[in-house]
Amino acid sequence: MATYIKVAGELYTAEINGSMADYTWDGRESKSITLTMSHNEVAALLPDGTPWSIVQRTPAPDENGTENENEWDNSAYSLSGDITDHRDGTVTIKMGKSTDLEDAYEMLLGGDEA
């Protein structure tokens, strides 16, 4: 099965790992996404608030000639975190969910309303 992330309608081959409680990032749920691109490219692709999804495709088409594809919205993981350059042409970016405390502050203080 091939795994991708989908951002603005474009697919990018990716390796994705998740953490239910990322203790290196305030205990929030997070996804680590490894992509073949530069630090600057991934920073531009996935800034805070970017809607994105995980797409998985089967390697071979079915008997009708169509690929089987599943897509899961991951837009709740909207906080851009650390970017690690692996020096082999790949980088890993952490995308995280807001914590309960951050959500409570947002409700109390309001957001960026115009």
Side-chain angles (χ1 to χ4, degrees), residues 11-80:
L11 292 176
Y12 301 88
T13 303
E15 181 181 315
I16 304 160
N17 294 296
S19 176
M20 294 300 291
D22 188 336
Y23 294 105
T24 65
W25 196 8
D26 302 324
R28 76 183 71 245
E29 288 184 57
S30 70
K31 301 274 175 112
S32 295
I33 306 164
T34 302
L35 299 155
T36 302
M37 59 179 58
S38 72
H39 180 281
N40 291 341
E41 289 170 324
V42 79
L45 180 67
L46 291 165
D48 283 345
T50 300
W52 65 281
S53 59
I54 296 173
V55 175
Q56 285 188 327
R57 287 185 175 165
T58 56
D62 65 16
E63 63 277 355
N64 297 323
T66 58
E67 289 185 345
N68 291 321
E69 181 176 290
N70 293 307
E71 184 171 344
W72 298 273
D73 181 30
N74 273 254
S75 297
Y77 295 87
S78 62
L79 299 173
S80 238

Coordinates of all heavy atoms in Angstrom, one line a residue, residues 11-80:
L11 N -1.0 15.3 -4.1 CA -0.5 14.2 -3.3 C 1.0 14.2 -3.2 O 1.7 14.5 -4.1 CB -1.0 12.9 -3.9 CG -2.4 12.5 -3.9 CD1 -2.7 11.2 -4.7 CD2 -3.0 12.4 -2.5
Y12 N 1.5 13.9 -1.9 CA 2.9 13.8 -1.7 C 3.2 12.5 -1.0 O 2.6 12.2 0.1 CB 3.3 15.0 -0.8 CG 3.1 16.3 -1.3 CD1 1.8 16.9 -1.1 CD2 4.0 17.0 -2.1 CE1 1.5 18.2 -1.7 CE2 3.7 18.2 -2.6 CZ 2.5 18.8 -2.4 OH 2.2 20.1 -3.0
T13 N 4.1 11.7 -1.5 CA 4.5 10.4 -0.9 C 5.0 10.7 0.5 O 5.8 11.6 0.7 CB 5.5 9.7 -1.7 OG1 5.0 9.5 -3.1 CG2 5.9 8.4 -1.1
A14 N 4.5 10.0 1.5 CA 4.9 10.2 2.9 C 4.9 9.0 3.7 O 4.3 8.0 3.4 CB 3.9 11.2 3.5
E15 N 5.7 9.1 4.8 CA 5.7 8.1 5.9 C 5.1 8.8 7.1 O 5.5 9.9 7.4 CB 7.1 7.6 6.2 CG 7.1 6.5 7.3 CD 8.5 6.1 7.5 OE1 9.3 5.8 6.6 OE2 8.9 6.0 8.7
I16 N 4.1 8.2 7.7 CA 3.4 8.9 8.8 C 3.3 8.1 10.0 O 3.0 6.9 10.0 CB 1.9 9.3 8.4 CG1 2.0 10.1 7.1 CG2 1.2 10.0 9.5 CD1 0.7 10.1 6.3
N17 N 3.7 8.7 11.2 CA 3.6 8.0 12.5 C 2.8 8.9 13.4 O 2.9 10.2 13.3 CB 5.0 7.7 13.0 CG 5.7 6.7 12.2 OD1 5.3 5.6 12.1 ND2 6.8 7.1 11.6
G18 N 2.1 8.3 14.3 CA 1.3 9.2 15.2 C 1.6 8.9 16.7 O 2.2 7.9 17.1
S19 N 1.3 9.9 17.5 CA 1.4 9.8 19.0 C 0.2 10.3 19.6 O -0.3 11.4 19.4 CB 2.6 10.6 19.4 OG 2.8 10.6 20.8
M20 N -0.4 9.5 20.5 CA -1.6 9.9 21.2 C -1.3 10.9 22.3 O -2.2 11.7 22.7 CB -2.3 8.7 21.8 CG -2.9 7.7 20.8 SD -4.1 8.4 19.7 CE -5.5 8.7 20.8
A21 N -0.1 10.9 22.8 CA 0.3 11.9 23.8 C 1.8 12.1 23.6 O 2.6 11.5 24.2 CB 0.0 11.3 25.2
D22 N 2.1 13.1 22.8 CA 3.5 13.5 22.5 C 4.1 14.3 23.6 O 3.8 15.5 23.8 CB 3.5 14.3 21.2 CG 4.9 14.5 20.7 OD1 5.8 14.5 21.5 OD2 5.0 14.8 19.4
Y23 N 4.8 13.6 24.5 CA 5.4 14.2 25.7 C 6.5 15.2 25.4 O 6.9 15.9 26.2 CB 5.8 13.2 26.7 CG 4.6 12.4 27.2 CD1 4.3 11.1 26.8 CD2 3.7 13.0 28.0 CE1 3.2 10.4 27.2 CE2 2.5 12.3 28.5 CZ 2.3 11.0 28.0 OH 1.2 10.4 28.5
T24 N 7.0 15.2 24.1 CA 7.9 16.2 23.7 C 7.3 17.5 23.3 O 7.9 18.5 22.9 CB 8.9 15.7 22.6 OG1 8.1 15.4 21.5 CG2 9.6 14.4 23.1
W25 N 5.9 17.5 23.2 CA 5.2 18.6 22.7 C 3.9 18.8 23.5 O 2.8 18.8 23.0 CB 4.8 18.4 21.2 CG 4.4 19.7 20.5 CD1 4.4 21.0 20.9 CD2 3.9 19.7 19.2 NE1 4.0 21.8 19.9 CE2 3.6 21.0 18.8 CE3 3.7 18.7 18.2 CZ2 3.1 21.4 17.6 CZ3 3.2 19.1 17.0 CH2 2.9 20.5 16.7
D26 N 4.0 19.1 24.8 CA 3.0 19.4 25.7 C 1.9 18.3 25.8 O 0.8 18.6 26.2 CB 2.3 20.7 25.4 CG 3.3 21.9 25.3 OD1 4.2 21.9 26.2 OD2 3.1 22.8 24.5
G27 N 2.2 17.1 25.5 CA 1.3 16.0 25.7 C 0.2 15.9 24.6 O -0.8 15.2 24.7
R28 N 0.3 16.7 23.6 CA -0.7 16.8 22.6 C -0.7 15.6 21.6 O 0.4 14.9 21.5 CB -0.7 18.1 21.7 CG 0.5 18.1 20.7 CD 0.6 19.4 20.0 NE 1.1 20.5 20.9 CZ 0.4 21.5 21.2 NH1 -0.9 21.7 20.8 NH2 0.9 22.4 22.1
E29 N -1.8 15.3 21.0 CA -1.8 14.3 19.9 C -1.0 14.9 18.7 O -1.2 16.0 18.4 CB -3.2 13.9 19.5 CG -4.0 13.1 20.4 CD -5.3 12.7 19.9 OE1 -5.4 12.1 18.8 OE2 -6.3 13.1 20.5
S30 N -0.2 14.0 18.1 CA 0.6 14.6 17.0 C 0.8 13.5 15.9 O 0.7 12.3 16.2 CB 2.0 15.1 17.4 OG 2.8 14.0 17.9
K31 N 1.1 14.0 14.7 CA 1.5 13.1 13.6 C 2.9 13.6 13.1 O 3.1 14.8 13.0 CB 0.5 13.2 12.4 CG -0.9 12.8 12.8 CD -1.2 11.3 12.7 CE -2.6 11.0 13.2 NZ -3.4 10.5 12.1
S32 N 3.8 12.7 12.9 CA 5.1 13.0 12.3 C 5.1 12.5 10.9 O 4.8 11.3 10.6 CB 6.2 12.2 13.1 OG 6.3 12.7 14.4
I33 N 5.3 13.4 10.0 CA 5.2 13.2 8.5 C 6.6 13.4 7.9 O 7.2 14.4 8.0 CB 4.2 14.2 7.9 CG1 2.9 14.2 8.6 CG2 4.1 13.9 6.4 CD1 2.0 15.4 8.3
T34 N 7.1 12.3 7.3 CA 8.4 12.3 6.6 C 8.1 12.4 5.1 O 7.4 11.6 4.5 CB 9.2 11.1 7.0 OG1 9.4 11.0 8.4 CG2 10.6 11.1 6.3
L35 N 8.7 13.4 4.5 CA 8.6 13.7 3.1 C 9.9 13.9 2.4 O 10.9 14.3 3.1 CB 7.7 15.0 2.9 CG 6.3 15.0 3.5 CD1 5.9 16.4 3.8 CD2 5.4 14.4 2.5
T36 N 10.0 13.7 1.1 CA 11.2 14.0 0.4 C 11.1 15.4 -0.2 O 10.6 15.6 -1.2 CB 11.4 12.9 -0.8 OG1 11.4 11.6 -0.2 CG2 12.7 13.2 -1.5
M37 N 11.7 16.3 0.6 CA 11.7 17.7 0.2 C 12.6 18.4 1.2 O 13.1 17.8 2.2 CB 10.3 18.3 0.1 CG 9.5 18.3 1.4 SD 7.8 19.1 1.2 CE 7.1 18.2 -0.1
S38 N 12.8 19.7 1.0 CA 13.7 20.5 1.9 C 12.9 21.1 3.0 O 11.6 21.1 3.1 CB 14.3 21.7 1.1 OG 13.3 22.7 0.8
H39 N 13.6 21.6 4.0 CA 13.0 22.2 5.2 C 12.1 23.4 4.8 O 11.0 23.5 5.2 CB 14.2 22.8 6.1 CG 13.7 23.4 7.3 ND1 13.2 24.7 7.3 CD2 13.6 23.0 8.6 CE1 12.9 25.1 8.5 NE2 13.1 24.1 9.3
N40 N 12.6 24.2 3.9 CA 11.8 25.4 3.4 C 10.5 24.9 2.7 O 9.5 25.5 2.8 CB 12.6 26.3 2.6 CG 13.7 27.0 3.4 OD1 13.6 27.1 4.6 ND2 14.7 27.6 2.7
E41 N 10.6 23.9 1.9 CA 9.5 23.4 1.1 C 8.4 22.9 2.1 O 7.2 23.2 1.9 CB 9.9 22.3 0.1 CG 10.7 22.8 -1.0 CD 11.3 21.7 -1.9 OE1 11.7 20.7 -1.3 OE2 11.3 21.9 -3.1
V42 N 8.8 22.1 3.1 CA 7.8 21.5 4.0 C 7.2 22.6 4.9 O 6.0 22.6 5.2 CB 8.3 20.3 4.8 CG1 9.2 20.8 6.0 CG2 7.2 19.5 5.3
A43 N 8.0 23.6 5.2 CA 7.5 24.7 6.0 C 6.4 25.5 5.3 O 5.4 26.0 5.8 CB 8.6 25.6 6.5
A44 N 6.6 25.7 4.0 CA 5.7 26.4 3.1 C 4.4 25.5 2.8 O 3.3 26.0 2.7 CB 6.3 26.8 1.8
L45 N 4.6 24.2 2.8 CA 3.5 23.3 2.5 C 2.5 23.1 3.6 O 1.3 23.1 3.5 CB 4.1 21.9 2.1 CG 3.0 20.8 1.7 CD1 2.3 21.2 0.4 CD2 3.7 19.5 1.6
L46 N 3.1 23.1 4.9 CA 2.3 22.8 6.0 C 2.4 23.8 7.2 O 2.8 23.5 8.3 CB 2.6 21.4 6.6 CG 2.2 20.2 5.7 CD1 2.9 18.9 6.2 CD2 0.7 20.1 5.7
P47 N 2.1 25.1 6.9 CA 2.0 26.1 8.0 C 0.8 25.8 8.9 O 0.0 25.0 8.5 CB 1.9 27.4 7.2 CG 1.2 27.1 6.0 CD 1.7 25.7 5.6
D48 N 0.8 26.5 10.0 CA -0.3 26.4 10.9 C -1.7 26.6 10.2 O -1.8 27.4 9.3 CB -0.3 27.4 12.0 CG 0.7 27.1 13.1 OD1 1.2 26.0 13.2 OD2 1.0 28.0 13.9
G49 N -2.6 25.7 10.5 CA -4.0 25.9 10.0 C -4.2 25.2 8.6 O -5.3 25.4 8.1
T50 N -3.2 24.5 8.1 CA -3.4 23.9 6.8 C -4.2 22.7 6.8 O -3.9 21.7 7.6 CB -2.0 23.5 6.2 OG1 -1.2 24.7 6.1 CG2 -2.1 22.9 4.8
P51 N -5.3 22.6 6.0 CA -6.1 21.4 6.0 C -5.3 20.3 5.2 O -4.8 20.6 4.1 CB -7.4 21.8 5.2 CG -7.2 23.1 4.7 CD -5.9 23.7 5.3
W52 N -5.3 19.1 5.7 CA -4.6 18.0 5.0 C -5.2 16.7 5.3 O -6.0 16.6 6.3 CB -3.1 18.0 5.3 CG -2.8 17.8 6.8 CD1 -2.8 18.6 7.8 CD2 -2.3 16.5 7.3 NE1 -2.5 18.0 9.0 CE2 -2.1 16.7 8.7 CE3 -2.0 15.3 6.8 CZ2 -1.7 15.7 9.6 CZ3 -1.6 14.3 7.6 CH2 -1.4 14.5 9.0
S53 N -4.9 15.7 4.5 CA -5.4 14.4 4.8 C -4.4 13.3 4.5 O -3.4 13.6 3.8 CB -6.7 14.1 4.0 OG -6.4 14.3 2.6
I54 N -4.6 12.1 5.0 CA -3.8 10.9 4.7 C -4.5 10.1 3.6 O -5.7 9.9 3.7 CB -3.6 10.1 5.9 CG1 -2.8 10.9 7.0 CG2 -2.8 8.8 5.6 CD1 -2.7 10.1 8.3
V55 N -3.8 9.7 2.6 CA -4.4 8.9 1.5 C -3.6 7.6 1.4 O -2.4 7.7 1.4 CB -4.4 9.7 0.2 CG1 -4.8 8.8 -1.0 CG2 -5.2 11.0 0.3
Q56 N -4.3 6.5 1.3 CA -3.6 5.2 1.1 C -4.2 4.6 -0.1 O -5.4 4.6 -0.3 CB -3.8 4.3 2.3 CG -2.9 4.6 3.5 CD -3.0 3.6 4.5 OE1 -4.0 2.9 4.7 NE2 -1.9 3.4 5.2
R57 N -3.4 4.1 -1.0 CA -3.8 3.5 -2.3 C -3.2 2.1 -2.3 O -2.1 1.8 -1.9 CB -3.2 4.2 -3.5 CG -3.9 5.5 -3.7 CD -3.4 6.1 -5.0 NE -4.1 7.3 -5.3 CZ -3.7 8.2 -6.2 NH1 -2.6 8.0 -6.9 NH2 -4.4 9.3 -6.5
T58 N -4.0 1.1 -2.9 CA -3.5 -0.2 -3.1 C -2.5 -0.2 -4.3 O -2.6 0.7 -5.2 CB -4.6 -1.2 -3.4 OG1 -5.3 -0.7 -4.5 CG2 -5.5 -1.4 -2.2
P59 N -1.5 -1.0 -4.2 CA -0.5 -1.0 -5.3 C -1.0 -1.4 -6.7 O -0.4 -1.1 -7.7 CB 0.7 -1.9 -4.8 CG 0.0 -2.8 -3.8 CD -1.2 -2.0 -3.2
A60 N -2.0 -2.2 -6.7 CA -2.5 -2.8 -8.0 C -4.0 -2.4 -8.1 O -4.7 -2.5 -7.2 CB -2.3 -4.3 -8.0
P61 N -4.4 -2.1 -9.3 CA -5.8 -1.9 -9.6 C -6.6 -3.1 -9.4 O -6.1 -4.2 -9.5 CB -5.9 -1.4 -11.0 CG -4.5 -1.3 -11.5 CD -3.6 -1.9 -10.5
D62 N -7.9 -2.9 -9.1 CA -8.8 -4.1 -9.0 C -9.2 -4.6 -10.3 O -8.7 -4.1 -11.4 CB -10.1 -3.7 -8.1 CG -10.9 -2.6 -8.8 OD1 -10.8 -2.4 -10.0 OD2 -11.8 -2.1 -8.0
E63 N -10.1 -5.6 -10.4 CA -10.5 -6.2 -11.7 C -11.1 -5.2 -12.6 O -11.2 -5.5 -13.8 CB -11.5 -7.4 -11.4 CG -12.8 -7.0 -10.8 CD -12.8 -6.9 -9.3 OE1 -11.7 -7.2 -8.6 OE2 -13.8 -6.5 -8.7
N64 N -11.6 -4.1 -12.2 CA -12.2 -3.1 -13.0 C -11.2 -2.0 -13.5 O -11.5 -1.1 -14.2 CB -13.3 -2.3 -12.4 CG -14.5 -3.3 -12.0 OD1 -14.8 -4.2 -12.8 ND2 -15.1 -3.0 -10.9
G65 N -9.9 -2.2 -13.1 CA -8.9 -1.3 -13.5 C -8.8 0.0 -12.6 O -8.0 0.9 -13.0
T66 N -9.5 0.0 -11.5 CA -9.5 1.2 -10.7 C -8.7 0.9 -9.4 O -8.7 -0.2 -8.9 CB -10.9 1.7 -10.3 OG1 -11.6 0.6 -9.6 CG2 -11.7 2.1 -11.5
E67 N -7.9 2.0 -9.0 CA -7.2 1.8 -7.8 C -8.1 2.0 -6.6 O -9.0 2.8 -6.6 CB -6.1 2.9 -7.7 CG -4.9 2.7 -8.6 CD -3.8 3.7 -8.4 OE1 -4.1 4.7 -7.8 OE2 -2.7 3.5 -8.9
N68 N -7.9 1.2 -5.5 CA -8.6 1.4 -4.3 C -7.9 2.5 -3.5 O -6.7 2.4 -3.3 CB -8.7 0.1 -3.5 CG -9.6 -0.9 -4.2 OD1 -10.6 -0.5 -4.8 ND2 -9.2 -2.2 -4.2
E69 N -8.7 3.4 -3.0 CA -8.1 4.6 -2.3 C -8.9 4.9 -1.1 O -10.2 4.9 -1.2 CB -8.0 5.8 -3.2 CG -7.4 7.0 -2.6 CD -7.2 8.1 -3.6 OE1 -6.4 8.0 -4.5 OE2 -8.0 9.1 -3.4
N70 N -8.3 5.1 0.1 CA -8.9 5.6 1.3 C -8.3 6.9 1.7 O -7.1 7.1 1.6 CB -8.7 4.5 2.4 CG -9.5 3.3 2.1 OD1 -10.7 3.3 1.8 ND2 -8.8 2.1 2.2
E71 N -9.1 7.8 2.2 CA -8.7 9.1 2.6 C -9.2 9.5 3.9 O -10.4 9.3 4.2 CB -9.1 10.2 1.5 CG -8.5 11.5 1.8 CD -8.7 12.5 0.7 OE1 -9.1 12.1 -0.4 OE2 -8.6 13.7 0.9
W72 N -8.4 10.0 4.8 CA -8.8 10.4 6.2 C -8.4 11.8 6.4 O -7.2 12.2 6.3 CB -8.1 9.5 7.2 CG -8.5 8.1 7.1 CD1 -9.6 7.4 7.7 CD2 -7.8 7.0 6.4 NE1 -9.6 6.1 7.3 CE2 -8.5 5.8 6.5 CE3 -6.6 7.0 5.6 CZ2 -8.1 4.6 6.0 CZ3 -6.2 5.8 5.0 CH2 -6.9 4.7 5.2
D73 N -9.3 12.6 6.7 CA -9.1 14.1 7.0 C -8.3 14.1 8.3 O -8.6 13.5 9.3 CB -10.4 14.8 7.2 CG -10.2 16.3 7.5 OD1 -9.2 16.9 7.0 OD2 -11.1 16.9 8.2
N74 N -7.2 14.9 8.3 CA -6.4 15.1 9.5 C -6.2 16.6 9.7 O -5.2 17.0 10.4 CB -5.0 14.5 9.2 CG -5.0 13.0 9.6 OD1 -4.4 12.7 10.7 ND2 -5.6 12.2 8.8
S75 N -7.2 17.4 9.3 CA -7.1 18.8 9.5 C -7.1 19.2 11.0 O -6.7 20.3 11.3 CB -8.3 19.5 8.8 OG -8.1 19.3 7.4
A76 N -7.6 18.3 11.9 CA -7.5 18.6 13.3 C -6.1 18.7 13.8 O -5.8 19.4 14.8 CB -8.3 17.6 14.1
Y77 N -5.1 18.1 13.0 CA -3.7 18.3 13.3 C -3.2 19.5 12.6 O -2.5 19.4 11.6 CB -3.0 17.0 12.9 CG -3.4 15.8 13.7 CD1 -4.5 15.0 13.3 CD2 -2.7 15.4 14.8 CE1 -4.8 13.9 14.0 CE2 -3.1 14.3 15.5 CZ -4.1 13.5 15.1 OH -4.5 12.4 15.8
S78 N -3.6 20.6 13.1 CA -3.3 21.9 12.4 C -2.2 22.8 12.9 O -1.9 23.8 12.3 CB -4.6 22.7 12.4 OG -5.0 23.1 13.7
L79 N -1.5 22.3 14.0 CA -0.4 23.1 14.5 C 0.9 22.6 13.9 O 1.2 21.4 14.1 CB -0.4 23.0 16.0 CG -1.6 23.6 16.7 CD1 -1.5 23.3 18.2 CD2 -1.7 25.0 16.5
S80 N 1.6 23.4 13.3 CA 2.9 23.1 12.7 C 4.0 23.0 13.8 O 4.1 24.0 14.6 CB 3.3 24.1 11.7 OG 3.5 23.6 10.5

